[in-house]
Amino acid sequence: MVYWTQLGWVCLIGSFALLPAAFYNFTWSRPLVMISVANVLASVVLMFVVLGYRLRQRAFHWGWTVSFLLVIVINMSLYLYSVL
């Protein structure tokens, strides 16, 4: 339960980090895709760092944080493969 709670907070933080690109995409008539890509990558880095910090405070092994990063990277790769 502790791990799932931390993931919930981290995903909430990551979702808030995506709001600048969402606002940009809705306000510009021809938004640049690279803005969204950069924002998603920044969100992933932020979630990785925050999760690592929060799990380290709770004496979790670093492998839990790395496994989260691997799942996110696999998810993003599958998405990119599906749209290309």
Side-chain angles (χ1 to χ4, degrees):
M1 276 314 278
V2 172
Y3 180 71
W4 290 108
T5 302
Q6 298 313 310
L7 280 180
W9 280 110
V10 166
C11 288
L12 179 66
I13 292 166
S15 295
F16 278 118
L18 291 172
L19 289 177
F23 180 73
Y24 168 75
N25 287 328
F26 281 119
T27 56
W28 289 77
S29 60
R30 298 185 68 157
L32 299 173
V33 174
M34 289 310 294
I35 299 292
S36 294
V37 169
N39 192 226
V40 168
L41 291 175
S43 175
V44 168
V45 170
L46 175 65
M47 289 189 298
F48 178 71
V49 170
V50 171
L51 183 65
Y53 176 75
R54 293 177 71 93
L55 291 183
R56 194 174 332 109
Q57 284 183 324
R58 288 154 182 84
F60 275 76
H61 188 269
W62 59 267
W64 287 95
T65 306
V66 172
S67 66
F68 169 76
L69 181 63
L70 289 175
V71 170
I72 293 290
V73 168
I74 290 169
N75 184 355
M76 291 170 54
S77 300
L78 290 173
Y79 172 72
L80 285 175
Y81 176 76
S82 73
V83 298
L84 294 178

